[in-house]
Amino acid sequence: MSVIDSTTTPTATADKLAVIEALYRYAAGLDLRDRALLASAFAEDAVADFGPATRKAGFDYPEVEGRETIAAALADSLSKLDTTHSVSNPRADVDGDTASLEAIVACQHLPRDDHSRHVLMTNRYDVELVRQGDAWVIQHLIVDNAWTEGDTTVLYGV
């Protein structure tokens, strides 16, 4: 991803915003517990790798393949939690019908029945996307943890 981007045409700007919108759909789908919205962020054959982040939190989350499998796995994993995922510092690079995106996502997790406990993870997201019709969807997602604060056992339902 270049430091300075000279493509500031209206079309290039619209594409970059649409690329970032895919990550917003992902985050909103998680927080609203909207599996259809979450799935809409991914390509049918997408791959999601949360391993770099989860290993730092003390457990291994296997790589997940396929839009519906990813949406189901995440919905199930977070079913006992209230979450907020805040996307910041997105940087998108578009090349025809493919794009790459880097962003920081602050992920707050609280047990649904005990908001006195929490874990806040600030993660780096590296995302490869493809254009599908008028929308951009995530083809490959890698999540790595920058830092964590709180009780990581919240993540394993303890």
Side-chain angles (χ1 to χ4, degrees), residues 27-44:
L30 289 172
D31 296 339
L32 297 172
R33 295 183 201 93
D34 185 334
R35 196 178 289 202
L37 180 60
L38 177 58
S40 78
F42 290 95
E44 187 175 330

Side-chain angles (χ1 to χ4, degrees), residues 91-149:
R91 294 186 326 129
D93 188 25
V94 177
D95 184 13
D97 289 336
T98 63
S100 59
L101 171 65
E102 297 173 351
I104 300 296
V105 180
C107 315
Q108 183 71 268
H109 305 81
L110 302 98
R112 198 169 288 157
D113 61 354
D114 180 8
H115 280 194
S116 69
R117 298 173 52 231
H118 80 280
V119 63
L120 172 62
M121 299 177 75
T122 298
N123 296 327
R124 289 187 220 64
Y125 277 53
D126 289 311
V127 189
E128 298 299 323
L129 303 98
V130 294
R131 188 189 318 259
Q132 283 187 341
D134 292 335
W136 286 88
V137 292
I138 297 167
Q139 182 68 53
H140 193 245
L141 170 67
I142 299 173
V143 180
D144 195 0
N145 181 252
W147 58 268
T148 299
E149 174 185 285

